[in-house]
Amino acid sequence: MTFRLPSYSDFIKRSIFPFLAVLAVFTIPALAATGGGEAVERESMISNPWAIAALIVFFLSYLAVLFEEQTHLRKSKPVMLGAGLIWVFIAIIAPDYGVDHHGLRAAIFHGLDEYASLLLFLLAAMTYIAALEERQVFATLRGKLVAAGFNMRQLFWVTGVFSFFLSPIADNLTTALVMGAVIMAVGANDKKFILIACINIVNAANAGGAFSPFGDITTLMVWQAGHVEFFNFFPLFLPSLAAFLVPAAIMSLFVNKDKPAPMTEDIKMKRGAKTIIFLGICTISMAIGFEQMLGLPPFLGMMTGMSLLMITAWGLRITSDKGDEAFDILEQVANAEWDTLLFFFGVIFSVGGLTFLGYLELVSTTMYDGYGASITNIGMGVASAIIDNIPVMFAILSMNPDLDQFQWLLVTLTCGIGGSMLSVGSAAGVALMGVAKGNYTFFGHLKWTPIIVLGYAAGIIVHFYVNGGLVGVE
């Protein structure tokens, strides 16, 4: 008995798409997050034509992000342009509502504080990742997996499990790229296997990143905002595991047990790789320790660790006999994912502008007060699949709803795993589409969306079951 994939398309058209569309109507306005500034008459400001124009600019800029795969216009460019236009519109109407230049600057610098903390944290993390890649740590891992002699189904599971457990440390984006390279190397002639395995990797990486502040930007944002302590994210392990295993178990039934073609390529780590791995672990520990024991922001620990990496790179350079063993750490800084870092700038300042206009207060009242925390947080996870989980989480943090620890963990989980429903819902999916050379596509992923939805539901159910004792805990 075979399972006919075309039935997926019918199911999507008749149920999933309408559901997403209706939910988006209620949740997309929540992408007016962060704030600051002086009190203004928000209700009248919302109805101002310039404010409406700012909202339209925001939607258009995100529409451009959604079509990045087709237009090849990097996502940072339209969002940064949108941020600038939104604040220009605000500046035009601000005097009519009693907001002077000082008030505008206060609101903008509030967003700058948020962005600077995130930028420095991620810059250090991305530089470490780039250094590990240059030292061929990930290439070595890829080579060992390829040469291990697994059949296709075993490789499906191995890459999925690796993605789930590597993502909490290396982040979901890097994990997806490393494991995706493995899949591309062994499944070059099997497009069906590449598609299913890539979907599994994206889902596993997103699920694994949900229970660690280092695994996903959304989890990091919740941690840095102080709503959940570092070690209090780990109750999400079982819900995240369920979100990974349920779809993986179903999809694995459609993967054959053929052996891939053997590979003889021998890749070894370069000198200093193990030292950098050790320093990376120390840097993560410093970020946690600075925040937990000293009350210092985590980015300070990350930047301190980055200084150790820079000194190590200097030591490798002056003691190197071979040019290929030395490397300049500033080159690794340049290799950081600057498109993503600048995208965050656009997100924070666009959303901050819309919050200043008063849209967030309206949405917070409508959603959290009208539908309740659980339904809203589950809906936000679905919205993150459509819009990207980062702006959705930033919106929620800026709404600053009165949530207990159970609900903060719920929304962290849903925004983390919700992005797996569509290929454009997370950085892992978008990046993998870029390197999969047409084998992993938006519509290819869409055929398996109902299976990912089952995992999404399973993760939420497990969270309600195992973490119910956290209800009411601040």
Side-chain angles (χ1 to χ4, degrees), residues 11-30:
F11 178 75
I12 291 166
K13 291 177 182 178
R14 295 174 185 174
S15 58
I16 296 297
F17 274 170
F19 175 60
L20 295 180
V22 171
L23 194 59
V25 170
F26 291 99
T27 56
I28 286 178

Side-chain angles (χ1 to χ4, degrees), residues 317-339:
R317 186 168 62 253
I318 65 172
T319 59
S320 174
D321 295 327
K322 300 178 181 179
D324 64 339
E325 288 189 352
F327 70 106
D328 185 351
I329 197 62
L330 293 181
E331 291 182 2
Q332 310 315 314
V333 173
N335 290 334
E337 184 54 51
W338 283 97
D339 179 56

